[in-house]
C-alpha cells in the first residue's frame, strides 16, 4: 500500500510540475553586478529553448570587454505564480584593457543560481542571482561573490 501511495504522489508531483511553464520566450535587459568579475555589469539576453531550459548571453563592456554564455534550468516555486528558481553553468571570453597589458585575454567557467520573477500582466522580468567565476586563461582566479540584479523586457510567450 505504501508503494502505491508513493507512486501516486510521484505521478501527482510530475503532473503538477508540468503545468508550470515559463511565462515568456525571450528577454533583453541589463544585469547589475556587485563585484568586479570578468562578466559583471552586462547586457543580458535570455532565450528559452523549451519551457524549462534557457540560454543566456551576457555582454560586458566596462573595464573589461567580455562575452559569456550560460545554459540554465528553471524550476517553478509552488504557490508563487511567475517565480522560478534556476541553476546552470557556462563559459566566458574576455579582454582586459589595463595599462600594463592592453590585450590580455581572459577565459573561464561560470556557474549561476538565482530567482527569476516575471510580472504577470507586465512585460518585465527581474532576476537575482549568484554567479561565481573561475578564470582559467591568463591567470587562475576564482571570484566567488558575484551577486547581481537583472531587469529585462520580455517578449513572446512560451
Amino acid at each position: 500500500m505504501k508503494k502505491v501511495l508513493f507512486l501516486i504522489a510521484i505521478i501527482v508531483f510530475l503532473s503538477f510540475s508540468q503545468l508550470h511553464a515559463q511565462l515568456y520566450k525571450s528577454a533583453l535587459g541589463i544585469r547589475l553586478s556587485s563585484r568586479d568579475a570578468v562578466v559583471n555589469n552586462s547586457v543580458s539576453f535570455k532565450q528559452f529553448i523549451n519551457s524549462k531550459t534557457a540560454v543566456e548571453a551576457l555582454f560586458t563592456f566596462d573595464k573589461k570587454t567580455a562575452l559569456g554564455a550560460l545554459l540554465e534550468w528553471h524550476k517553478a516555486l509552488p504557490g508563487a505564480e511567475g517565480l522560478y528558481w534556476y541553476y546552470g553553468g557556462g563559459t566566458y571570453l574576455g579582454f582586459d584593457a589595463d595599462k600594463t597589458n592592453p590585450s590580455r585575454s581572459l577565459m573561464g567557467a561560470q556557474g549561476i543560481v538565482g530567482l527569476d520573477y516575471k510580472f504577470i500582466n507586465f512585460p518585465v522580468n527581474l532576476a537575482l542571482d549568484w554567479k561565481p567565476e573561475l578564470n582559467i586563461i591568463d591567470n587562475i582566479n576564482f571570484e566567488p561573490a558575484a551577486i547581481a540584479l537583472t531587469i529585462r523586457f520580455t517578449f513572446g510567450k512560451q
Side-chain angles (χ1 to χ4, degrees):
M1 183 67 175
K2 287 182 183 180
K3 289 181 182 180
V4 172
L5 290 175
F6 181 72
L7 183 59
I8 291 172
I10 288 175
I11 292 170
V12 169
F13 175 76
L14 290 175
S15 299
F16 178 74
S17 67
Q18 295 299 320
L19 296 174
H20 292 283
Q22 196 58 257
L23 299 173
Y24 61 95
K25 181 78 173 164
S26 305
L28 178 66
I30 58 170
R31 181 177 193 278
L32 304 172
S33 181
S34 65
R35 300 292 291 196
D36 192 26
V38 174
V39 181
N40 54 32
N41 298 327
S42 308
V43 173
S44 168
F45 177 74
K46 184 179 272 193
Q47 176 70 43
F48 277 87
I49 299 168
N50 59 43
S51 65
K52 296 182 181 192
T53 308
V55 175
E56 184 174 3
L58 300 169
F59 179 62
T60 297
F61 50 94
D62 194 9
K63 296 174 188 170
K64 300 173 184 84
T65 301
L67 181 62
L70 293 157
L71 183 60
E72 301 169 352
W73 291 273
H74 290 245
K75 307 282 185 179
L77 289 173
E81 188 176 1
L83 184 61
Y84 294 79
W85 72 278
Y86 62 96
Y87 61 94
T91 188
Y92 63 86
L93 175 64
F95 302 97
D96 193 356
D98 67 4
K99 294 177 183 174
T100 59
N101 189 0
S103 62
R104 188 176 115 189
S105 296
L106 305 165
M107 186 173 155
Q110 55 189 351
I112 194 163
V113 173
L115 292 172
D116 184 279
Y117 180 73
K118 165 63 174 79
F119 290 94
I120 302 304
N121 294 317
F122 194 62
V124 172
N125 160 250
L126 299 176
L128 181 65
D129 65 59
W130 173 57
K131 189 181 74 57
E133 293 180 352
L134 176 62
N135 196 55
I136 299 168
I137 294 186
D138 191 57
N139 64 341
I140 295 179
N141 181 34
F142 181 61
E143 175 54 64
I147 295 174
L149 173 67
T150 306
I151 303 166
R152 298 184 201 96
F153 176 75
T154 64
F155 43 98
K157 290 212 175 203
Q158 194 58 273

